Amino acid sequence: RAGLHIVEQSLWKAIPHYLRRVSNALKKHTGRPLPLTCTPIKFGSWMGGDRDGNPNVTSKVTRNVSLLSQWMAIDLFVREVDNLRFELSMNRCSDKLGKLAHEILLKETAPEDRHGDSWNSSNKTHAKHLCQQTTLPSKLPVGADLPSCTECKDGESQYPILQFPGNSRQENRSPQDFRLQDSARISLANGNGNLSDGNSNSSISPQSSISGISKPSLPRTSSFGSSQLLLQRKLYAESQIGRFSFQKLLEPSLPQRPGIAPYRVVLGDVKEKLMNSRRRMELLLEDLPCDLDPKEYYGTSEQLLEPLILCYESLQSCGSGLMADGRLADLIRRVATFGLILMKLDLRQESVRHSEALDAITEYLDMGTYSEWEEEKKLEFLTRELKGKRPLVPPSMQVSPDVQEVLDTFRVAAELGSDSLGAYVISMASDASDVLAVELLQKDARLSVSGELGRPCPGRTLRVVPLFETVKDLREAGSVIRKLLSIDWYREHVMKNHNAHQEVMVGYSDSGKDAGRFTVAWELYKAQEDVVAACNDYGIKVTLFHGRGGSIGRGGGPTHLAIQSQPPGSVMGTLRSTEQGEMVQAKFGLPQTAVRQLEIYTTAVLLATLRPPLPPRKEKWRQVMEEISKTSCQCYRSTVYENPDFLAYFQEATPQSELGFLNIGSRPTRRKASTGIGHLRAIPWIFAWTQTRFVLPAWLGVGKGLKDVCEKGYQDDLGAMYREWPFFQSTIDLIEMVLGKADIPIAKHYDEVLVSESRRELGAELRREFLRTEQYVLVVSRHEKLSDNNRSLRRLIESRLPYLNPINILQVEILRRLRQDADNNKLRDALLITINGIAAGMRNTG
């Protein structure tokens, strides 16, 4: 809901402005604007779909989140259509639109009401019952010649006053209060719309409420004239002034005023179908049956676009181009961008969970244990089953809850299809069989669901995206993609169902935690080059999906710089990237900043496509990078994974264990119940070091690597690499920015108060490594001091120090006391406040 709030309050407003600016820029420079239904950007989400190590994301959660997203999209469109109906009041229209409006009115106007007022369905029902339960008069009733407003002889009106909701004070009646004729009574039943005659024993109040609006009692008589009946119908309709005057204004019936407001008629039909679509989502969310005819609601965005584009073309043809290019064009562009689903939901699951599901299946079928097979045997089995037409999973098979949850997720994916869901991302992917396993489980679920439904599943299978995260997997990414595309079935499947397009995701978080910032930057660069080359070899287009976080240690940093530093050919018109955590609010929390961020993405992708960044000018530069990476990784791993004191030092020197108290995480801090660094998620790993202002994961090992190559005589080459190679320059600049945000005296204070004396030497050694890193980064960049090339950033950091430093001092003292009194809730609350304060000051924290 928090993510949807960002869309509703910011992105919904930003998209029309952004697309209009893109269109104007294109028209200025090319003479042709952006096509109305074309959008260069699409939004996706995995909130509610990312089940990687998160037991709280179940198949039911995924289904409900997807339906809720669709509900909000439809609700937002209802509001926009309402605004348009007020705006488009003109009569002139194209013949095509006029014909459609005429057909809608003929369809909606019942024969008996063609000459009367426009009533909604409930009012028509009341009138129909009224006519059925009265007889034609044999003579005029007494007083028929008098005006309907004539008062009784005692000076008191005998006619009931219309009671609106909330108007309970009788003394506030207006002189024009609604009145009905005095005669025998027919009163409306209490709320169900039925009528009772005068002989009924029911005692219904003259002001019984129906559907939340008070209804006046209708006069009852054993016989009265048709003129009175028409008068009573008219008075009853006018009594519903809050509802029907508005509807008369927007939805006049055709015979009353032929040809009036055709745009309002058409948009009224659009709104009705949208409201039916919204109601359908509500029924599905409540697991209630929905018997709506598919013709009564919108199933695809193309169905919604059709009448809107018809209105747009009609306005253009009638000389109302300014009106067409206003709110209506904005609505069409929103439909093109968001569709009826707002954001397609990506699913993510760990590769080992799919292997466990296949283990259960193959063991049940007495085929052995799938996970113990060699890779070639796995591929042979998976390919054979994918080519078959029978389901693999027996309906009677009993499995463990974890395996059942995996199978249920694929069932939900089959029920929703690619119309509502985006990609299926496989985290910790390492082999071609990981991708084929998901394809097989998808296929099997769709066969099962379509058999139960008696019709094909909606959409197509989800595109399967391998996510390469560890350094080992990144190094083998290209060979895995080559192996995958060499399989005839898979290559044909991609060409047929996914427009010859393969998506590959590269992870920055776990790889950075695995080998350090510098090494992972270089491994990611090489992995992207290899994946692009593999796809080119088979004539397959590739989109690289960057799993970046907000912090530098998780691939964060300025968007434009990051995209511009990608390998040549890796950004060929398309790019996907994640925005996570506090960066979503920072970049998209306000419409103005969202427009700016979307422009940055667009500009960077255009530049990287039309003018690709330069590769390393010399082969020697690659050798230098390999040297730095190797030394840097050895230094990082020897400290983090091989030093027996490091884990205890980390837990003492940072508030890592206390971060679990914060109600901001979307999933557990650890993938598995282990205290080691390996199973700790990257976000708390980075977040904890940011709190102490040491930011260790972003720079550890870099100084050692730079020092070694400088001592080997490569200092001049490093200077040339910084000036001429965008990738190397951006890497050094980001590390320099992190060093500028760090604060050694503050980090030392944490050690002195919180770390046991036997481990303080480790902290001192790390601080010496920090100073060495700072020294050699400045040698490479030729700057006199940190962030010398970014004065505005330096000013921002310095302006926050008077607030940040006291909060850090407070946090150290609170941690000291809390660790002596763990159940003190007041101290815990105070700690959480300091954590929020430091995170706000440091900005990119996780």
Side-chain angles (χ1 to χ4, degrees):
R1 289 194 177 95
L4 293 177
H5 177 78
I6 293 286
V7 178
E8 179 185 17
Q9 297 299 320
S10 179
L11 289 176
W12 188 259
K13 302 171 186 176
I15 279 295
H17 294 284
Y18 156 72
L19 291 176
R20 192 175 288 115
R21 288 172 66 87
V22 172
S23 182
N24 291 340
L26 282 174
K27 189 172 184 180
K28 177 182 176 181
H29 293 285
T30 69
R32 300 177 63 182
L34 184 73
L36 194 60
T37 57
C38 175
T39 177
I41 198 159
K42 291 276 189 179
F43 295 96
S45 167
W46 54 21
M47 297 176 291
D50 184 5
R51 59 227 329 111
D52 179 16
N54 188 352
N56 301 315
V57 179
T58 63
S59 56
K60 183 174 178 59
V61 167
T62 296
R63 177 181 179 273
N64 288 346
V65 168
S66 179
L67 294 176
L68 186 63
S69 180
Q70 294 178 62
W71 182 93
M72 173 167 277
I74 295 166
D75 188 64
L76 289 169
F77 285 131
V78 168
R79 302 181 209 174
E80 294 299 324
V81 170
D82 253 348
N83 292 331
L84 264 178
R85 293 171 76 202
F86 274 108
E87 190 172 284
L88 302 182
S89 60
M90 61 285 293
N91 293 337
R92 290 185 59 193
C93 68
S94 65
D95 293 341
K96 194 173 181 181
L97 184 73
K99 181 181 178 182
L100 177 60
H102 187 85
E103 291 172 354
I104 291 171
L105 284 176
L106 287 177
K107 179 180 67 175
E108 293 183 349
T109 308
E112 63 269 22
D113 292 322
R114 292 274 167 82
H115 60 281
D117 293 310
S118 176
W119 286 26
N120 66 11
S121 58
S122 60
N123 301 324
K124 292 177 184 177
T125 304
H126 297 329
K128 187 176 180 181
H129 288 171
L130 184 62
C131 292
Q132 290 173 349
Q133 296 191 23
T134 57
T135 57
L136 294 175
S138 57
K139 62 178 181 178
L140 291 175
V142 178
D145 57 325
L146 300 177
S148 60
C149 59
T150 303
E151 294 185 342
C152 298
K153 55 187 176 182
D154 59 359
E156 285 288 333
S157 172
Q158 299 297 307
Y159 312 134
I161 297 172
L162 177 64
Q163 195 76 11
F164 287 98
N167 183 23
S168 59
R169 293 176 60 85
Q170 298 288 324
E171 62 271 17
N172 291 334
R173 298 172 184 169
S174 165
Q176 284 79 30
D177 280 337
F178 177 77
R179 288 168 171 78
L180 292 174
Q181 261 188 309
D182 180 28
S183 56
R185 311 182 66 82
I186 293 178
S187 58
L188 289 169
N190 56 345
N192 58 12
N194 297 325
L195 295 170
S196 57
D197 59 27
N199 297 322
S200 172
N201 294 326
S202 61
S203 56
I204 306 301
S205 164
Q207 295 162 353
S208 298
S209 175
I210 297 180
S211 300
I213 297 181
S214 301
K215 308 289 189 205
S217 298
L218 295 178
R220 64 181 181 182
T221 180
S222 58
S223 62
F224 53 87
S226 60
S227 61
Q228 273 192 299
L229 175 61
L230 290 173
L231 176 62
Q232 288 161 1
R233 288 173 63 181
K234 181 180 179 183
L235 289 171
Y236 178 73
E238 290 176 351
S239 73
Q240 305 297 311
I241 189 70
R243 182 183 301 179
F244 299 131
S245 292
F246 176 73
Q247 287 190 342
K248 285 185 201 176
L249 176 67
L250 295 181
E251 301 173 2
S253 60
L254 184 65
Q256 281 182 301
R257 299 177 64 184
I260 188 173
Y263 299 96
R264 287 180 170 173
V265 173
V266 171
L267 292 172
D269 183 63
V270 170
K271 181 187 175 184
E272 183 178 350
K273 289 182 178 178
L274 282 171
M275 293 180 72
N276 287 339
S277 304
R278 185 174 62 182
R279 179 58 182 157
R280 178 172 171 263
M281 290 299 112
E282 292 167 0
L283 291 172
L284 291 174
L285 277 165
E286 296 173 9
D287 291 322
L288 296 174
C290 178
D291 57 357
L292 281 173
D293 190 315
K295 296 179 181 178
E296 297 176 357
Y297 62 85
Y298 290 121
T300 65
S301 56
E302 287 75 17
Q303 294 173 341
L304 174 57
L305 278 173
E306 186 177 350
L308 298 178
I309 292 174
L310 184 60
C311 290
Y312 181 87
E313 292 172 345
S314 175
L315 288 170
Q316 292 284 6
S317 66
C318 295
S320 300
L322 287 176
M323 296 293 289
D325 289 326
R327 193 186 296 272
L328 177 57
D330 288 349
L331 176 57
I332 292 173
R333 283 174 170 149
R334 284 183 174 119
V335 176
T337 301
F338 294 107
L340 291 179
I341 44 88
L342 211 61
M343 299 181 291
K344 284 196 174 185
L345 185 64
D346 285 358
L347 308 183
R348 183 166 78 149
Q349 181 60 280
E350 221 176 339
S351 59
V352 67
R353 297 291 300 276
H354 306 134
S355 296
E356 291 170 356
L358 287 171
D359 282 347
I361 296 169
T362 55
E363 288 172 1
Y364 181 83
L365 298 174
D366 293 327
M367 298 174 67
T369 304
Y370 169 85
S371 59
E372 296 176 357
W373 297 349
E374 295 292 331
E375 176 69 6
E376 288 302 321
K377 185 177 179 181
K378 289 180 181 178
L379 292 175
E380 181 185 351
F381 163 73
L382 294 168
T383 306
R384 183 177 66 250
E385 292 297 331
L386 282 165
K387 291 178 179 178
K389 296 183 179 181
R390 61 174 177 78
L392 177 66
V393 181
S396 59
M397 185 178 70
Q398 298 295 318
V399 295
S400 66
D402 285 348
V403 171
Q404 187 61 51
E405 180 55 42
V406 171
L407 299 178
D408 288 345
T409 297
F410 282 103
R411 285 186 62 86
V412 167
E415 292 168 3
L416 296 175
S418 59
D419 294 339
S420 302
L421 302 177
Y424 194 107
V425 180
I426 311 168
S427 62
M428 296 297 173
S430 57
D431 294 300
S433 59
D434 292 331
V435 175
L436 293 188
V438 173
E439 293 285 9
L440 178 58
L441 292 171
Q442 274 200 101
K443 174 208 165 191
D444 197 80
R446 289 176 69 86
L447 285 173
S448 176
V449 170
S450 63
E452 294 173 9
L453 296 177
R455 56 180 171 80
C457 293
R460 297 178 177 178
T461 57
L462 309 186
R463 62 186 190 277
V464 180
V465 181
L467 166 54
F468 301 104
E469 297 182 85
T470 66
V471 170
K472 177 179 177 294
D473 292 339
L474 286 170
R475 288 171 178 167
E476 297 176 359
S479 61
V480 169
I481 297 300
R482 279 189 178 86
K483 182 66 177 176
L484 195 58
L485 294 177
S486 69
I487 300 171
D488 293 339
W489 179 91
Y490 184 78
R491 189 172 62 257
E492 292 170 6
H493 167 72
V494 168
M495 297 182 74
K496 178 182 177 181
N497 296 314
H498 301 298
N499 195 27
H501 206 118
Q502 176 67 51
E503 188 174 315
V504 178
M505 187 172 183
V506 289
Y508 292 70
S509 301
D510 285 286
S511 52
K513 183 168 66 70
D514 187 32
R517 178 70 182 89
F518 196 95
T519 299
V520 74
W522 179 232
E523 294 299 336
L524 283 162
Y525 188 92
K526 293 189 297 180
Q528 291 178 66
E529 286 183 320
D530 208 7
V531 166
V532 169
C535 290
N536 289 340
D537 289 345
Y538 287 92
I540 300 294
K541 293 176 288 184
V542 62
T543 293
L544 286 166
F545 186 4
H546 298 265
R548 303 167 68 232
S551 59
I552 306 303
R554 295 184 59 233
T559 302
H560 187 275
L561 186 64
I563 295 174
Q564 283 294 291
S565 64
Q566 299 304 312
S570 64
V571 183
M572 296 305 295
T574 62
L575 178 135
R576 289 195 85 199
S577 181
T578 56
E579 294 289 359
Q580 303 177 37
E582 76 279 3
M583 303 314 296
V584 176
Q585 181 66 42
K587 294 182 177 181
F588 301 102
L590 295 173
Q592 298 88 341
T593 56
V595 170
R596 178 61 178 158
Q597 190 63 32
L598 295 174
E599 289 176 348
I600 289 171
Y601 267 109
T602 306
T603 305
V605 171
L606 280 171
L607 281 175
T609 302
L610 301 175
R611 193 177 63 198
L614 296 173
R617 184 165 56 84
K618 300 178 181 179
E619 188 63 28
K620 182 182 180 181
W621 292 0
R622 286 182 172 272
Q623 297 172 4
V624 173
M625 286 297 297
E626 290 289 351
E627 291 278 350
I628 300 172
S629 175
K630 181 180 178 181
T631 307
S632 174
C633 184
Q634 287 175 350
C635 176
Y636 179 90
R637 290 194 63 85
S638 66
T639 301
V640 175
Y641 291 98
E642 296 170 13
N643 189 323
D645 291 331
F646 182 81
L647 179 60
Y649 170 78
F650 169 57
Q651 292 172 338
E652 290 178 350
T654 71
Q656 182 268 325
S657 57
E658 289 81 6
L659 289 178
F661 299 141
L662 276 174
N663 189 25
I664 62 171
S666 62
R667 50 191 175 172
T669 58
R670 295 183 176 275
R671 294 180 188 271
K672 298 179 181 178
S674 166
T675 57
I677 301 293
H679 291 141
L680 180 69
R681 289 194 179 275
I683 294 175
W685 165 246
I686 300 284
F687 197 101
W689 286 112
T690 307
Q691 288 287 303
T692 68
R693 309 270 293 280
F694 205 20
V695 209
L696 178 137
W699 56 261
L700 182 60
V702 177
K704 177 70 171 171
L706 293 176
K707 177 178 180 292
D708 280 3
V709 294
C710 285
E711 290 176 349
K712 292 177 181 179
Y714 293 117
Q715 185 168 329
D716 291 339
D717 291 298
L718 291 175
M721 291 163 64
Y722 181 80
R723 291 190 302 271
E724 301 177 31
W725 191 9
F727 161 73
F728 186 75
Q729 184 184 55
S730 67
T731 302
I732 295 297
D733 283 348
L734 291 174
I735 293 170
E736 185 175 339
M737 185 186 80
V738 171
L739 296 174
K741 284 189 171 186
D743 192 304
I744 290 299
I746 291 292
K748 183 180 179 182
H749 183 63
Y750 275 81
D751 282 9
E752 292 173 342
V753 177
L754 301 174
V755 176
S756 58
E757 191 169 351
S758 61
R759 299 188 186 94
R760 288 180 190 172
E761 180 55 34
L762 176 56
E765 183 182 338
L766 291 173
R767 290 192 292 275
R768 288 193 293 271
E769 183 62 32
F770 176 94
L771 295 175
R772 179 166 58 186
T773 303
E774 179 181 333
Q775 175 189 348
Y776 281 95
V777 164
L778 292 177
V779 166
V780 173
S781 67
R782 302 289 202 273
H783 296 155
E784 294 183 5
K785 56 183 179 180
L786 296 173
S787 301
D788 201 29
N789 63 332
N790 195 343
R791 302 290 179 86
S792 60
L793 174 63
R794 187 165 187 83
R795 284 196 299 270
L796 285 171
I797 294 173
E798 291 173 351
S799 68
R800 292 196 290 263
L801 292 181
Y803 308 94
L804 266 177
N805 292 344
I807 299 176
N808 278 114
I809 302 300
L810 281 170
Q811 186 180 85
V812 171
E813 180 60 21
I814 293 169
L815 279 171
R816 186 187 68 80
R817 297 186 186 185
L818 188 60
R819 289 172 181 178
Q820 296 173 357
D821 185 9
D823 297 327
N824 192 321
N825 290 327
K826 289 186 177 180
L827 283 175
R828 183 180 297 180
D829 290 343
L831 175 66
L832 299 185
I833 292 171
T834 64
I835 290 174
N836 284 327
I838 296 168
M842 293 293 284
R843 293 291 297 275
N844 44 358
T845 57

